[in-house]
Amino acid sequence: MKKMGLLPKLIIGIVFGIIIGAISKSTGTYFVAKIFITFSTIFGSFLKFIIPCIIIGFVAPGIADLGKESGKLLAVTAGIAYVSTVIAGTLAYFLGVSILPKIIKVGELAEKSKLDLKPYFTIQIDPIMGVMTALVMAFMLGLGMSYIKGKTLFDVMKDFQNIVTLVVKNVIIPFVPVYIMGIFIKLTIAGEIFKTLKAFSSVYAIVLLLQVAYILMQYGLAWFVSGKKPFKAIKNMIPAYFTALGTQSSAATIPVTLQSVKKNGVSDDIADFVVPLGATIHLAGDTITLVLASMAVMLMNGQNPTFAGMFSFILMLGVTMVAAPGIPGGGVMAALGLLQDMLMFNPAQQGLMIALHAAQDSFGTATNITGDGAIAIIVDTIAKKRKVKNKVKLTEVKVQKV
């Protein structure tokens, strides 16, 4: 029997959360509700503890792995992927600023019910370090391991990464639906649930439209650089797009992505280099979702998503996305630390972001890998132009010698 995926479990958690919350509110009996609220509070505390571990465990080895590759093509590919992610996030911000205030009542979730249910008890689990400290530590370790080319520390970090993966896979992911249930129980009792669902149904529509528009933009740029017809190139990438919709994994889609990219005339050596790398560092689709969803959460809680604050978030998001493919739950797990420290999201808001991201994870992944195809075309064109240029220089040298 096939295991139930995270999204169906989250949906079940949300539905049960609304039902339990509604029954508790109508009967005035909050015993069961408070059990789940207690669990969500403790789990939220554990989530805070694990975030720095996720950052160090995934970002440091990820940067070290990138550093082990050499050559200008690595720098070119990584640069294009990073710029693409930042542009995607920036476009999402400006679209969000233009549309979200029209469909979301600012501060509507800040208008809380007088009833504020407290957990039966709490357990304080302090993180070993702050999120920004963890990021700086991850950069220092990653760049350092790359520079010294030492194997001992790298193996230790990979073992630590495996331990964190086990915790995320066997503790965080299985209990996230129960955590979300507790959050939705509280939202229902506070009378906020239908405002939340109504607002985010509109946000999803904007996210999906921008993701499609961004794919078109990427292939428009690839056409400008290479001369390859954009719609034909996108047509060749359709098998990879739908495979990503089914697998929800950039890594699992790599074999199909490679076939699609090579069908677009990208040379084998460039495709074999760019596609696996892009699956690791290019998450434009996830960035679009995270930016728009976080802005919606902020607006609903009476916070103002300023360009300065959001652009800093986007710049850091582009870096932390390096960790995302190695973590079950991907982009949102890697971004939790930034949401906490840069956008000041509390555990309940982080829980909402997990649920919102999971609901569209397939489309975000499909956008990511389809964009990898455009990057592969651009890098292949640059590489071919460099080869031609080098041949011309070599010919000139030979002529001068004669």
Side-chain angles (χ1 to χ4, degrees), residues 132-182:
M132 295 310 294
T133 306
L135 273 170
V136 173
M137 176 72 80
F139 274 108
M140 184 185 75
L141 289 172
L143 293 171
M145 287 187 288
S146 171
Y147 180 77
I148 65 173
K149 294 179 172 57
K151 199 171 184 307
T152 306
L153 182 58
F154 182 75
D155 288 342
V156 170
M157 291 307 300
K158 290 299 283 186
D159 284 343
F160 182 65
Q161 183 185 77
N162 291 335
I163 292 168
V164 175
T165 300
L166 282 172
V167 173
V168 173
K169 206 171 181 180
N170 297 311
V171 179
I172 302 293
I173 298 300
F175 287 105
V176 157
V178 185
Y179 174 55
I180 299 297
M181 189 191 301

mmCIF file of all heavy atoms in Angstrom, residues 132-182:
data_model
loop_
_atom_site.group_PDB
_atom_site.id
_atom_site.type_symbol
_atom_site.label_atom_id
_atom_site.label_comp_id
_atom_site.label_asym_id
_atom_site.label_seq_id
_atom_site.Cartn_x
_atom_site.Cartn_y
_atom_site.Cartn_z
ATOM 1 N N MET A 132 21.056 33.853 12.489
ATOM 2 C CA MET A 132 22.105 34.551 11.744
ATOM 3 C C MET A 132 23.489 34.022 12.122
ATOM 4 O O MET A 132 24.381 33.903 11.277
ATOM 5 C CB MET A 132 22.027 36.059 11.975
ATOM 6 C CG MET A 132 20.767 36.717 11.438
ATOM 7 S SD MET A 132 20.391 36.273 9.710
ATOM 8 C CE MET A 132 21.769 37.017 8.859
ATOM 9 N N THR A 133 23.663 33.682 13.405
ATOM 10 C CA THR A 133 24.923 33.078 13.843
ATOM 11 C C THR A 133 25.141 31.754 13.123
ATOM 12 O O THR A 133 26.257 31.448 12.671
ATOM 13 C CB THR A 133 24.906 32.846 15.371
ATOM 14 O OG1 THR A 133 24.604 34.067 16.026
ATOM 15 C CG2 THR A 133 26.240 32.314 15.859
ATOM 16 N N ALA A 134 24.075 30.964 12.996
ATOM 17 C CA ALA A 134 24.160 29.673 12.304
ATOM 18 C C ALA A 134 24.512 29.861 10.828
ATOM 19 O O ALA A 134 25.303 29.094 10.266
ATOM 20 C CB ALA A 134 22.842 28.914 12.441
ATOM 21 N N LEU A 135 23.922 30.883 10.207
ATOM 22 C CA LEU A 135 24.220 31.155 8.798
ATOM 23 C C LEU A 135 25.690 31.533 8.603
ATOM 24 O O LEU A 135 26.363 31.030 7.694
ATOM 25 C CB LEU A 135 23.327 32.281 8.270
ATOM 26 C CG LEU A 135 21.963 31.876 7.717
ATOM 27 C CD1 LEU A 135 21.107 33.101 7.460
ATOM 28 C CD2 LEU A 135 22.106 31.046 6.452
ATOM 29 N N VAL A 136 26.189 32.430 9.466
ATOM 30 C CA VAL A 136 27.603 32.843 9.380
ATOM 31 C C VAL A 136 28.511 31.641 9.620
ATOM 32 O O VAL A 136 29.505 31.434 8.909
ATOM 33 C CB VAL A 136 27.901 33.971 10.395
ATOM 34 C CG1 VAL A 136 29.396 34.276 10.411
ATOM 35 C CG2 VAL A 136 27.118 35.231 10.033
ATOM 36 N N MET A 137 28.164 30.818 10.617
ATOM 37 C CA MET A 137 28.940 29.612 10.911
ATOM 38 C C MET A 137 28.936 28.658 9.713
ATOM 39 O O MET A 137 29.974 28.094 9.338
ATOM 40 C CB MET A 137 28.349 28.908 12.129
ATOM 41 C CG MET A 137 29.009 27.587 12.493
ATOM 42 S SD MET A 137 30.651 27.805 13.197
ATOM 43 C CE MET A 137 30.224 28.248 14.880
ATOM 44 N N ALA A 138 27.753 28.498 9.077
ATOM 45 C CA ALA A 138 27.648 27.611 7.921
ATOM 46 C C ALA A 138 28.517 28.094 6.766
ATOM 47 O O ALA A 138 29.194 27.298 6.101
ATOM 48 C CB ALA A 138 26.184 27.501 7.476
ATOM 49 N N PHE A 139 28.504 29.422 6.519
ATOM 50 C CA PHE A 139 29.347 29.994 5.462
ATOM 51 C C PHE A 139 30.823 29.781 5.773
ATOM 52 O O PHE A 139 31.607 29.391 4.903
ATOM 53 C CB PHE A 139 29.054 31.494 5.305
ATOM 54 C CG PHE A 139 27.918 31.774 4.391
ATOM 55 C CD1 PHE A 139 26.704 32.228 4.887
ATOM 56 C CD2 PHE A 139 28.040 31.582 3.022
ATOM 57 C CE1 PHE A 139 25.642 32.475 4.049
ATOM 58 C CE2 PHE A 139 26.979 31.835 2.170
ATOM 59 C CZ PHE A 139 25.780 32.284 2.681
ATOM 60 N N MET A 140 31.207 30.056 7.020
ATOM 61 C CA MET A 140 32.606 29.917 7.405
ATOM 62 C C MET A 140 33.078 28.471 7.233
ATOM 63 O O MET A 140 34.140 28.208 6.650
ATOM 64 C CB MET A 140 32.794 30.353 8.863
ATOM 65 C CG MET A 140 34.247 30.346 9.329
ATOM 66 S SD MET A 140 34.409 30.716 11.098
ATOM 67 C CE MET A 140 33.861 29.175 11.830
ATOM 68 N N LEU A 141 32.264 27.530 7.723
ATOM 69 C CA LEU A 141 32.630 26.119 7.612
ATOM 70 C C LEU A 141 32.642 25.658 6.152
ATOM 71 O O LEU A 141 33.568 24.967 5.712
ATOM 72 C CB LEU A 141 31.656 25.258 8.419
ATOM 73 C CG LEU A 141 31.751 25.359 9.947
ATOM 74 C CD1 LEU A 141 30.608 24.601 10.604
ATOM 75 C CD2 LEU A 141 33.083 24.813 10.441
ATOM 76 N N GLY A 142 31.597 26.046 5.396
ATOM 77 C CA GLY A 142 31.498 25.619 3.997
ATOM 78 C C GLY A 142 32.650 26.126 3.159
ATOM 79 O O GLY A 142 33.302 25.353 2.436
ATOM 80 N N LEU A 143 32.924 27.433 3.250
ATOM 81 C CA LEU A 143 34.020 28.023 2.480
ATOM 82 C C LEU A 143 35.371 27.487 2.963
ATOM 83 O O LEU A 143 36.275 27.234 2.152
ATOM 84 C CB LEU A 143 33.981 29.546 2.581
ATOM 85 C CG LEU A 143 32.776 30.225 1.918
ATOM 86 C CD1 LEU A 143 32.722 31.704 2.274
ATOM 87 C CD2 LEU A 143 32.817 30.054 0.403
ATOM 88 N N GLY A 144 35.486 27.313 4.281
ATOM 89 C CA GLY A 144 36.731 26.792 4.842
ATOM 90 C C GLY A 144 37.017 25.378 4.376
ATOM 91 O O GLY A 144 38.144 25.054 3.968
ATOM 92 N N MET A 145 35.999 24.506 4.405
ATOM 93 C CA MET A 145 36.172 23.120 3.945
ATOM 94 C C MET A 145 36.536 23.071 2.467
ATOM 95 O O MET A 145 37.343 22.246 2.027
ATOM 96 C CB MET A 145 34.899 22.313 4.212
ATOM 97 C CG MET A 145 34.667 21.975 5.678
ATOM 98 S SD MET A 145 33.261 20.863 5.946
ATOM 99 C CE MET A 145 31.873 21.945 5.595
ATOM 100 N N SER A 146 35.923 23.972 1.705
ATOM 101 C CA SER A 146 36.226 24.039 0.273
ATOM 102 C C SER A 146 37.670 24.466 0.033
ATOM 103 O O SER A 146 38.356 23.930 -0.837
ATOM 104 C CB SER A 146 35.268 25.027 -0.400
ATOM 105 O OG SER A 146 35.656 25.275 -1.729
ATOM 106 N N TYR A 147 38.138 25.410 0.838
ATOM 107 C CA TYR A 147 39.489 25.967 0.639
ATOM 108 C C TYR A 147 40.574 24.972 1.060
ATOM 109 O O TYR A 147 41.542 24.752 0.329
ATOM 110 C CB TYR A 147 39.637 27.269 1.433
ATOM 111 C CG TYR A 147 40.990 27.924 1.283
ATOM 112 C CD1 TYR A 147 41.317 28.636 0.126
ATOM 113 C CD2 TYR A 147 41.943 27.820 2.294
ATOM 114 C CE1 TYR A 147 42.560 29.231 -0.012
ATOM 115 C CE2 TYR A 147 43.191 28.409 2.164
ATOM 116 C CZ TYR A 147 43.495 29.120 1.005
ATOM 117 O OH TYR A 147 44.724 29.692 0.862
ATOM 118 N N ILE A 148 40.408 24.380 2.253
ATOM 119 C CA ILE A 148 41.471 23.484 2.748
ATOM 120 C C ILE A 148 41.397 22.092 2.112
ATOM 121 O O ILE A 148 42.350 21.318 2.213
ATOM 122 C CB ILE A 148 41.430 23.349 4.287
ATOM 123 C CG1 ILE A 148 40.130 22.654 4.743
ATOM 124 C CG2 ILE A 148 41.575 24.703 4.965
ATOM 125 C CD1 ILE A 148 40.091 22.344 6.227
ATOM 126 N N LYS A 149 40.249 21.814 1.470
ATOM 127 C CA LYS A 149 40.059 20.517 0.813
ATOM 128 C C LYS A 149 40.302 19.341 1.780
ATOM 129 O O LYS A 149 40.808 18.283 1.391
ATOM 130 C CB LYS A 149 40.965 20.390 -0.413
ATOM 131 C CG LYS A 149 40.612 21.371 -1.520
ATOM 132 C CD LYS A 149 41.544 21.243 -2.703
ATOM 133 C CE LYS A 149 41.076 22.086 -3.877
ATOM 134 N NZ LYS A 149 40.920 23.501 -3.605
ATOM 135 N N GLY A 150 39.959 19.569 3.036
ATOM 136 C CA GLY A 150 40.113 18.516 4.037
ATOM 137 C C GLY A 150 38.920 17.575 4.032
ATOM 138 O O GLY A 150 37.791 17.995 3.797
ATOM 139 N N LYS A 151 39.181 16.296 4.286
ATOM 140 C CA LYS A 151 38.111 15.301 4.225
ATOM 141 C C LYS A 151 37.494 15.029 5.601
ATOM 142 O O LYS A 151 36.321 14.699 5.705
ATOM 143 C CB LYS A 151 38.689 14.001 3.647
ATOM 144 C CG LYS A 151 37.622 13.056 3.096
ATOM 145 C CD LYS A 151 38.261 11.905 2.352
ATOM 146 C CE LYS A 151 37.221 11.013 1.716
ATOM 147 N NZ LYS A 151 36.196 10.511 2.574
ATOM 148 N N THR A 152 38.290 15.190 6.664
ATOM 149 C CA THR A 152 37.833 14.808 8.005
ATOM 150 C C THR A 152 36.618 15.614 8.452
ATOM 151 O O THR A 152 35.574 15.057 8.807
ATOM 152 C CB THR A 152 38.969 14.994 9.033
ATOM 153 O OG1 THR A 152 40.116 14.280 8.585
ATOM 154 C CG2 THR A 152 38.540 14.465 10.397
ATOM 155 N N LEU A 153 36.740 16.951 8.418
ATOM 156 C CA LEU A 153 35.635 17.801 8.852
ATOM 157 C C LEU A 153 34.436 17.647 7.929
ATOM 158 O O LEU A 153 33.290 17.645 8.388
ATOM 159 C CB LEU A 153 36.083 19.273 8.904
ATOM 160 C CG LEU A 153 35.029 20.272 9.385
ATOM 161 C CD1 LEU A 153 34.519 19.909 10.778
ATOM 162 C CD2 LEU A 153 35.587 21.692 9.379
ATOM 163 N N PHE A 154 34.707 17.510 6.624
ATOM 164 C CA PHE A 154 33.608 17.349 5.667
ATOM 165 C C PHE A 154 32.812 16.082 5.978
ATOM 166 O O PHE A 154 31.573 16.094 5.948
ATOM 167 C CB PHE A 154 34.156 17.299 4.234
ATOM 168 C CG PHE A 154 33.078 17.192 3.187
ATOM 169 C CD1 PHE A 154 32.298 18.291 2.851
ATOM 170 C CD2 PHE A 154 32.834 15.987 2.541
ATOM 171 C CE1 PHE A 154 31.291 18.196 1.899
ATOM 172 C CE2 PHE A 154 31.832 15.887 1.586
ATOM 173 C CZ PHE A 154 31.066 16.982 1.258
ATOM 174 N N ASP A 155 33.513 14.989 6.306
ATOM 175 C CA ASP A 155 32.820 13.733 6.655
ATOM 176 C C ASP A 155 32.003 13.900 7.936
ATOM 177 O O ASP A 155 30.902 13.358 8.053
ATOM 178 C CB ASP A 155 33.847 12.603 6.828
ATOM 179 C CG ASP A 155 34.444 12.143 5.505
ATOM 180 O OD1 ASP A 155 33.839 12.445 4.461
ATOM 181 O OD2 ASP A 155 35.514 11.507 5.520
ATOM 182 N N VAL A 156 32.548 14.657 8.900
ATOM 183 C CA VAL A 156 31.810 14.926 10.150
ATOM 184 C C VAL A 156 30.533 15.703 9.839
ATOM 185 O O VAL A 156 29.453 15.387 10.355
ATOM 186 C CB VAL A 156 32.698 15.714 11.145
ATOM 187 C CG1 VAL A 156 31.862 16.214 12.330
ATOM 188 C CG2 VAL A 156 33.845 14.852 11.646
ATOM 189 N N MET A 157 30.656 16.731 8.977
ATOM 190 C CA MET A 157 29.499 17.555 8.620
ATOM 191 C C MET A 157 28.450 16.744 7.858
ATOM 192 O O MET A 157 27.245 16.937 8.039
ATOM 193 C CB MET A 157 29.938 18.761 7.790
ATOM 194 C CG MET A 157 30.753 19.800 8.546
ATOM 195 S SD MET A 157 29.967 20.400 10.066
ATOM 196 C CE MET A 157 28.447 21.092 9.430
ATOM 197 N N LYS A 158 28.901 15.826 7.014
ATOM 198 C CA LYS A 158 27.962 14.970 6.283
ATOM 199 C C LYS A 158 27.226 14.033 7.248
ATOM 200 O O LYS A 158 26.030 13.788 7.080
ATOM 201 C CB LYS A 158 28.696 14.151 5.219
ATOM 202 C CG LYS A 158 29.218 14.959 4.041
ATOM 203 C CD LYS A 158 28.121 15.659 3.252
ATOM 204 C CE LYS A 158 27.363 14.748 2.347
ATOM 205 N NZ LYS A 158 26.398 15.505 1.489
ATOM 206 N N ASP A 159 27.963 13.531 8.261
ATOM 207 C CA ASP A 159 27.311 12.697 9.286
ATOM 208 C C ASP A 159 26.288 13.516 10.072
ATOM 209 O O ASP A 159 25.177 13.038 10.360
ATOM 210 C CB ASP A 159 28.356 12.126 10.256
ATOM 211 C CG ASP A 159 29.152 10.975 9.650
ATOM 212 O OD1 ASP A 159 28.698 10.418 8.627
ATOM 213 O OD2 ASP A 159 30.227 10.644 10.182
ATOM 214 N N PHE A 160 26.657 14.749 10.417
ATOM 215 C CA PHE A 160 25.722 15.640 11.123
ATOM 216 C C PHE A 160 24.498 15.918 10.247
ATOM 217 O O PHE A 160 23.361 15.924 10.732
ATOM 218 C CB PHE A 160 26.426 16.945 11.496
ATOM 219 C CG PHE A 160 25.554 17.913 12.260
ATOM 220 C CD1 PHE A 160 25.092 17.606 13.524
ATOM 221 C CD2 PHE A 160 25.194 19.134 11.699
ATOM 222 C CE1 PHE A 160 24.291 18.490 14.228
ATOM 223 C CE2 PHE A 160 24.388 20.024 12.394
ATOM 224 C CZ PHE A 160 23.937 19.699 13.661
ATOM 225 N N GLN A 161 24.734 16.135 8.953
ATOM 226 C CA GLN A 161 23.640 16.350 8.003
ATOM 227 C C GLN A 161 22.703 15.148 7.986
ATOM 228 O O GLN A 161 21.467 15.302 7.980
ATOM 229 C CB GLN A 161 24.207 16.586 6.605
ATOM 230 C CG GLN A 161 23.155 16.903 5.552
ATOM 231 C CD GLN A 161 23.766 17.007 4.168
ATOM 232 O OE1 GLN A 161 24.083 15.999 3.541
ATOM 233 N NE2 GLN A 161 23.954 18.226 3.686
ATOM 234 N N ASN A 162 23.273 13.936 8.003
ATOM 235 C CA ASN A 162 22.450 12.716 8.002
ATOM 236 C C ASN A 162 21.615 12.606 9.270
ATOM 237 O O ASN A 162 20.459 12.162 9.230
ATOM 238 C CB ASN A 162 23.346 11.480 7.857
ATOM 239 C CG ASN A 162 23.982 11.383 6.482
ATOM 240 O OD1 ASN A 162 23.452 11.919 5.504
ATOM 241 N ND2 ASN A 162 25.125 10.721 6.393
ATOM 242 N N ILE A 163 22.204 13.019 10.414
ATOM 243 C CA ILE A 163 21.461 12.990 11.683
ATOM 244 C C ILE A 163 20.290 13.975 11.644
ATOM 245 O O ILE A 163 19.166 13.645 12.029
ATOM 246 C CB ILE A 163 22.401 13.319 12.870
ATOM 247 C CG1 ILE A 163 23.415 12.188 13.077
ATOM 248 C CG2 ILE A 163 21.598 13.550 14.155
ATOM 249 C CD1 ILE A 163 24.548 12.531 14.026
ATOM 250 N N VAL A 164 20.555 15.195 11.148
ATOM 251 C CA VAL A 164 19.495 16.201 11.051
ATOM 252 C C VAL A 164 18.408 15.726 10.091
ATOM 253 O O VAL A 164 17.209 15.910 10.346
ATOM 254 C CB VAL A 164 20.073 17.560 10.589
ATOM 255 C CG1 VAL A 164 18.947 18.567 10.361
ATOM 256 C CG2 VAL A 164 21.047 18.106 11.622
ATOM 257 N N THR A 165 18.819 15.095 8.983
ATOM 258 C CA THR A 165 17.844 14.556 8.023
ATOM 259 C C THR A 165 16.938 13.534 8.689
ATOM 260 O O THR A 165 15.720 13.533 8.479
ATOM 261 C CB THR A 165 18.575 13.896 6.834
ATOM 262 O OG1 THR A 165 19.396 14.863 6.187
ATOM 263 C CG2 THR A 165 17.576 13.347 5.818
ATOM 264 N N LEU A 166 17.538 12.655 9.510
ATOM 265 C CA LEU A 166 16.742 11.650 10.226
ATOM 266 C C LEU A 166 15.732 12.301 11.163
ATOM 267 O O LEU A 166 14.570 11.865 11.243
ATOM 268 C CB LEU A 166 17.671 10.730 11.029
ATOM 269 C CG LEU A 166 18.414 9.638 10.251
ATOM 270 C CD1 LEU A 166 19.436 8.952 11.145
ATOM 271 C CD2 LEU A 166 17.426 8.616 9.692
ATOM 272 N N VAL A 167 16.163 13.352 11.867
ATOM 273 C CA VAL A 167 15.265 14.060 12.787
ATOM 274 C C VAL A 167 14.114 14.710 12.017
ATOM 275 O O VAL A 167 12.944 14.587 12.403
ATOM 276 C CB VAL A 167 16.035 15.123 13.610
ATOM 277 C CG1 VAL A 167 15.069 15.963 14.440
ATOM 278 C CG2 VAL A 167 17.057 14.463 14.519
ATOM 279 N N VAL A 168 14.465 15.390 10.919
ATOM 280 C CA VAL A 168 13.438 16.061 10.116
ATOM 281 C C VAL A 168 12.473 15.032 9.528
ATOM 282 O O VAL A 168 11.250 15.213 9.559
ATOM 283 C CB VAL A 168 14.081 16.907 8.993
ATOM 284 C CG1 VAL A 168 13.011 17.460 8.063
ATOM 285 C CG2 VAL A 168 14.888 18.053 9.580
ATOM 286 N N LYS A 169 13.052 13.939 9.007
ATOM 287 C CA LYS A 169 12.244 12.929 8.314
ATOM 288 C C LYS A 169 11.371 12.119 9.268
ATOM 289 O O LYS A 169 10.231 11.779 8.942
ATOM 290 C CB LYS A 169 13.192 11.987 7.560
ATOM 291 C CG LYS A 169 12.583 11.316 6.344
ATOM 292 C CD LYS A 169 13.679 10.588 5.569
ATOM 293 C CE LYS A 169 13.092 9.927 4.339
ATOM 294 N NZ LYS A 169 14.146 9.205 3.574
ATOM 295 N N ASN A 170 11.909 11.808 10.452
ATOM 296 C CA ASN A 170 11.210 10.901 11.366
ATOM 297 C C ASN A 170 10.511 11.575 12.543
ATOM 298 O O ASN A 170 9.742 10.933 13.253
ATOM 299 C CB ASN A 170 12.198 9.863 11.914
ATOM 300 C CG ASN A 170 12.772 8.977 10.823
ATOM 301 O OD1 ASN A 170 12.039 8.438 10.013
ATOM 302 N ND2 ASN A 170 14.086 8.848 10.773
ATOM 303 N N VAL A 171 10.798 12.874 12.749
ATOM 304 C CA VAL A 171 10.149 13.600 13.853
ATOM 305 C C VAL A 171 9.367 14.807 13.324
ATOM 306 O O VAL A 171 8.151 14.905 13.556
ATOM 307 C CB VAL A 171 11.182 14.067 14.909
ATOM 308 C CG1 VAL A 171 10.484 14.831 16.031
ATOM 309 C CG2 VAL A 171 11.954 12.881 15.480
ATOM 310 N N ILE A 172 10.070 15.700 12.618
ATOM 311 C CA ILE A 172 9.414 16.943 12.172
ATOM 312 C C ILE A 172 8.277 16.657 11.194
ATOM 313 O O ILE A 172 7.117 17.033 11.439
ATOM 314 C CB ILE A 172 10.440 17.904 11.522
ATOM 315 C CG1 ILE A 172 11.566 18.255 12.497
ATOM 316 C CG2 ILE A 172 9.725 19.174 11.034
ATOM 317 C CD1 ILE A 172 11.152 19.065 13.685
ATOM 318 N N ILE A 173 8.599 15.991 10.085
ATOM 319 C CA ILE A 173 7.593 15.765 9.038
ATOM 320 C C ILE A 173 6.396 14.950 9.529
ATOM 321 O O ILE A 173 5.242 15.339 9.297
ATOM 322 C CB ILE A 173 8.233 15.106 7.796
ATOM 323 C CG1 ILE A 173 9.303 16.025 7.174
ATOM 324 C CG2 ILE A 173 7.171 14.757 6.745
ATOM 325 C CD1 ILE A 173 8.795 17.372 6.714
ATOM 326 N N PRO A 174 6.590 13.820 10.245
ATOM 327 C CA PRO A 174 5.421 13.046 10.704
ATOM 328 C C PRO A 174 4.494 13.818 11.642
ATOM 329 O O PRO A 174 3.281 13.594 11.646
ATOM 330 C CB PRO A 174 6.049 11.843 11.427
ATOM 331 C CG PRO A 174 7.402 11.706 10.836
ATOM 332 C CD PRO A 174 7.852 13.112 10.561
ATOM 333 N N PHE A 175 5.090 14.719 12.473
ATOM 334 C CA PHE A 175 4.268 15.411 13.465
ATOM 335 C C PHE A 175 3.797 16.799 13.014
ATOM 336 O O PHE A 175 3.019 17.439 13.726
ATOM 337 C CB PHE A 175 5.017 15.523 14.797
ATOM 338 C CG PHE A 175 5.111 14.226 15.535
ATOM 339 C CD1 PHE A 175 6.302 13.513 15.577
ATOM 340 C CD2 PHE A 175 3.995 13.694 16.176
ATOM 341 C CE1 PHE A 175 6.387 12.307 16.251
ATOM 342 C CE2 PHE A 175 4.065 12.495 16.849
ATOM 343 C CZ PHE A 175 5.270 11.781 16.890
ATOM 344 N N VAL A 176 4.252 17.246 11.851
ATOM 345 C CA VAL A 176 3.803 18.539 11.337
ATOM 346 C C VAL A 176 2.284 18.602 11.176
ATOM 347 O O VAL A 176 1.654 19.605 11.540
ATOM 348 C CB VAL A 176 4.527 18.894 10.012
ATOM 349 C CG1 VAL A 176 3.715 19.883 9.183
ATOM 350 C CG2 VAL A 176 5.886 19.530 10.311
ATOM 351 N N PRO A 177 1.625 17.558 10.637
ATOM 352 C CA PRO A 177 0.149 17.619 10.523
ATOM 353 C C PRO A 177 -0.545 17.825 11.871
ATOM 354 O O PRO A 177 -1.544 18.548 11.955
ATOM 355 C CB PRO A 177 -0.211 16.257 9.918
ATOM 356 C CG PRO A 177 1.005 15.859 9.154
ATOM 357 C CD PRO A 177 2.157 16.344 9.983
ATOM 358 N N VAL A 178 -0.024 17.188 12.942
ATOM 359 C CA VAL A 178 -0.615 17.370 14.283
ATOM 360 C C VAL A 178 -0.361 18.797 14.777
ATOM 361 O O VAL A 178 -1.232 19.424 15.388
ATOM 362 C CB VAL A 178 -0.020 16.342 15.282
ATOM 363 C CG1 VAL A 178 -0.728 16.459 16.644
ATOM 364 C CG2 VAL A 178 -0.145 14.928 14.749
ATOM 365 N N TYR A 179 0.838 19.298 14.477
ATOM 366 C CA TYR A 179 1.198 20.684 14.816
ATOM 367 C C TYR A 179 0.261 21.666 14.118
ATOM 368 O O TYR A 179 -0.270 22.595 14.744
ATOM 369 C CB TYR A 179 2.649 20.905 14.391
ATOM 370 C CG TYR A 179 3.176 22.321 14.530
ATOM 371 C CD1 TYR A 179 3.128 23.003 15.739
ATOM 372 C CD2 TYR A 179 3.763 22.970 13.436
ATOM 373 C CE1 TYR A 179 3.639 24.286 15.864
ATOM 374 C CE2 TYR A 179 4.277 24.252 13.554
ATOM 375 C CZ TYR A 179 4.212 24.908 14.762
ATOM 376 O OH TYR A 179 4.719 26.176 14.889
ATOM 377 N N ILE A 180 0.037 21.426 12.834
ATOM 378 C CA ILE A 180 -0.878 22.271 12.054
ATOM 379 C C ILE A 180 -2.301 22.161 12.589
ATOM 380 O O ILE A 180 -3.040 23.147 12.651
ATOM 381 C CB ILE A 180 -0.844 21.865 10.555
ATOM 382 C CG1 ILE A 180 0.568 22.061 9.972
ATOM 383 C CG2 ILE A 180 -1.867 22.650 9.744
ATOM 384 C CD1 ILE A 180 1.064 23.480 9.968
ATOM 385 N N MET A 181 -2.689 20.939 13.022
ATOM 386 C CA MET A 181 -4.026 20.745 13.596
ATOM 387 C C MET A 181 -4.223 21.645 14.813
ATOM 388 O O MET A 181 -5.265 22.303 14.958
ATOM 389 C CB MET A 181 -4.215 19.275 13.993
ATOM 390 C CG MET A 181 -5.650 18.945 14.404
ATOM 391 S SD MET A 181 -5.820 17.303 15.181
ATOM 392 C CE MET A 181 -5.208 16.250 13.878
ATOM 393 N N GLY A 182 -3.214 21.694 15.677
ATOM 394 C CA GLY A 182 -3.297 22.550 16.866
ATOM 395 C C GLY A 182 -3.426 24.015 16.505
ATOM 396 O O GLY A 182 -4.199 24.758 17.129
#
